[in-house]
Amino acid sequence: MANINIFDEMERTMNKLKVAIIGTGMIANAAHIPAWKDLADQVQIVAVADDREQAARETARRHGIPNHYTDYQKMLEAEKPDIVSVCTPNRFHKPAAIAALRAGAHVLCEKPLSASAADAKEMYDEARACGKLLCANQTMRFDPNVLAAKAFYDAGAVGRPYFVEANIIRRRGIPKWGFFHIDEYNAAGPGFDIGVHILDAILWILGAPKVLAVSGQTYRELGDQNEGLLESLSESGAPAGVFTPRPYDCSEFDVEDFAAGFVRLEGGITLSLKASWALNAPEESGVSYISGTKGGVKLLPKAQLITNMAGYQVDVMPRIPAPRDVQFEGHYHTTSHFLKVIAGEAELLVKEDEVLNVLRVLDALYQSGREGREITVL
C-alpha cells in the first residue's frame, strides 16, 4: 500500500472550494449535490440548509455532508462557502441568492433565476456590487441535441428565421412532492417551471432577439381536481431525488396547469409557446423547432435539420454522442462550466441580458392573461 503524505492531503483539502446548498428538495438531491460531488477534486460540499429540519438532516446524512442547518443565514456565516447552489422554490431565489452573494459566495441558482425580470435585475446588480458571479442554471443549453440544433443554426442552415414553435407538454405531470403548485412559493406553474427551459434554449439559439410584444393565457382546469389517476414521479420530472416528499393536496393548487403564449420578436420572428403540467393532449416533451427561409431545425427530443437537397426534401439527423449514465446530466455540465468561469478559464454561458429577455417574455405572458390584452414589452 502506497504511503499517504498527510500534509499533501491537507493541502489538497484546503485548496478546494467550499460549496453550500440552500434548499434540499428533489433538484438538490438528484442534481446539484451529485454534480458537485462529481467534482470532488476541486470542491467540497460543507453544508446544506432547509427550513425543514428533517429534510436538511436526511440530505446531509444521505450524501455524507458534514453539516446541516435550518437557517441559511446562519450557515453562510458559519461555513463561509465559496459557492452556493440555490435550490429553493423560485419566489425565494432572490433573498437566498442575495444573502449568499453578500456573504462572499458565487451563486449558481436554479431556474428560473427569479420570480420576475425586475427581481433578476436586482440580483445581478447585487452580484456586481459584491464582485461575485451569478449564474442561472439553464441546463437545457448543455443538452447535446440543443447544441446540435444551435450548430446547424449558426452554420446558416436555417437562413432568416421567422417562426418558432416552443412546446413542452406533460399530459399529466404535476410535481406533487413539494411546493410547485402553491403560488405563495412559486411565481407560476409550468410556464416558470418547465416552459422557461425551452424558451431559454430557443432564444439563445436565435441570439436573444428583443421581445416586442406578448399575448398569452393561463389555465387551471385540471390541476385542482383529484382525478384518481395512477401517476409516477418520473412523469412529473422527478426520476430520482424525492426522499422527504410533502403531502400533496390538490385543493392547494392555485397556479396554472397550462400556459400558452404568442410572442413577437424583433426581425419579424413570431414564437408560439406552450407549457403544460396537465393537458388532455399528446405528451410532447420539448418538441420545438425554428423555421427559416432556407430550412428548419428541430431541437428536441432529437435534433434534426429540415431542408432541401438535390431536388428532394431531406431530414438530416446528426449522430449525437451517448449521454452519461446519470440523472440530470445538464447539471454536471453546468457545475463544471461554473468552476471554469470562476477560475477565469471560460466566459459565463448564461448571460444577464439573455436571462432578463426570457423573464420579460414570461412576465408579459402572465400579465396578458390577467388583463386580457397583448402586452408591449419596453
Side-chain angles (χ1 to χ4, degrees):
M1 182 177 179
N3 292 328
I4 298 175
N5 187 317
I6 190 170
F7 296 106
D8 288 346
E9 187 65 27
M10 288 174 61
E11 183 179 3
R12 280 193 294 272
T13 301
M14 290 174 63
N15 289 336
K16 290 181 181 180
L17 296 176
K18 295 190 294 183
V19 174
I21 314 290
I22 300 178
T24 59
M26 183 278 294
I27 203 66
N29 276 279
H32 282 254
I33 293 173
W36 286 123
K37 291 181 75 173
D38 193 57
L39 298 165
D41 60 327
Q42 301 175 68
V43 304
Q44 178 185 9
I45 305 176
V46 295
V48 298
D50 198 300
D51 57 8
R52 302 167 299 152
E53 201 278 334
Q54 179 191 1
R57 184 182 66 250
E58 284 298 307
T59 294
R61 180 194 61 78
R62 183 175 300 106
H63 296 285
I65 298 169
N67 299 302
H68 70 277
Y69 297 79
T70 55
D71 183 331
Y72 64 72
Q73 191 64 61
K74 291 182 179 178
M75 177 184 71
L76 295 171
E77 293 169 0
E79 303 292 342
K80 296 178 174 54
D82 300 295
I83 300 169
V84 169
S85 273
V86 174
C87 305
T88 66
N90 60 56
R91 284 204 185 275
F92 307 119
H93 286 179
K94 177 184 171 182
I98 287 178
L101 291 166
R102 289 177 177 173
H106 302 293
V107 173
L108 176 63
C109 184
E110 257 308 312
K111 55 73 195 169
L113 184 69
S114 65
S116 69
D119 282 351
K121 181 64 167 59
E122 288 185 39
M123 293 163 71
Y124 280 112
D125 288 344
E126 191 66 39
R128 272 187 293 274
C130 295
K132 296 298 175 181
L133 293 169
L134 172 63
C135 180
N137 196 35
Q138 295 292 167
T139 57
M140 191 172 281
R141 295 196 189 192
F142 293 97
D143 186 292
N145 288 283
V146 172
L147 290 171
K150 180 171 172 54
F152 284 139
Y153 181 87
D154 290 348
V158 170
R160 178 176 55 80
Y162 57 89
F163 179 71
V164 179
E165 186 81 22
N167 300 327
I168 189 157
I169 303 296
R170 293 180 187 165
R171 181 173 174 176
R172 289 297 187 277
I174 297 169
K176 295 181 177 180
W177 65 87
F179 300 88
F180 289 83
H181 59 295
I182 302 175
D183 178 77
E184 179 184 354
Y185 296 90
N186 292 279
F192 265 68
D193 177 37
I194 53 179
V196 67
H197 269 311
I198 196 66
L199 184 59
D200 175 79
I202 288 281
L203 293 181
W204 174 56
I205 291 174
L206 290 173
K210 183 180 178 182
V211 182
L212 303 178
V214 180
S215 182
Q217 187 64 58
T218 63
Y219 300 87
R220 185 166 68 242
E221 302 291 345
L222 304 173
D224 56 0
Q225 300 179 32
N226 182 2
E227 297 184 288
L229 296 176
L230 296 175
E231 301 170 71
S232 71
L233 287 172
S234 290
E235 287 177 301
S236 62
V242 179
F243 301 108
T244 54
R246 179 181 180 275
Y248 181 77
D249 182 350
C250 66
S251 68
E252 296 178 321
F253 195 105
D254 61 355
V255 296
E256 87 279 4
D257 52 36
F258 175 60
F262 191 77
V263 184
R264 290 195 291 116
L265 303 167
E266 66 180 350
I269 304 171
T270 54
L271 182 153
S272 172
L273 173 67
K274 297 190 286 289
S276 166
W277 282 341
L279 186 69
N280 289 321
E283 191 97 0
E284 294 183 354
S285 184
V287 177
S288 305
Y289 55 87
I290 300 170
S291 298
T293 52
K294 289 178 62 178
V297 289
K298 184 177 179 181
L299 280 72
L300 297 168
K302 295 291 185 183
Q304 180 180 345
L305 173 63
I306 303 155
T307 190
N308 302 331
M309 186 181 299
Y312 291 91
Q313 299 175 73
V314 298
D315 299 334
V316 180
M317 307 289 288
R319 292 176 64 94
I320 302 295
R324 292 181 60 177
D325 186 21
V326 295
Q327 302 287 353
F328 298 99
E329 183 186 11
H331 286 72
Y332 289 73
H333 294 295
T334 304
T335 51
S336 178
H337 168 69
F338 199 38
L339 287 185
K340 289 184 175 69
V341 177
I342 291 170
E345 299 170 0
E347 182 180 346
L348 194 62
L349 179 66
V350 184
K351 296 177 174 58
E352 176 180 354
D353 61 332
E354 297 167 345
V355 172
L356 295 178
N357 208 34
V358 169
L359 286 171
R360 288 188 192 105
V361 172
L362 293 173
D363 285 350
L365 187 153
Y366 288 91
Q367 182 183 352
S368 176
R370 291 191 301 270
E371 299 180 9
R373 64 183 181 90
E374 183 179 73
I375 302 300
T376 300
V377 179
L378 302 177

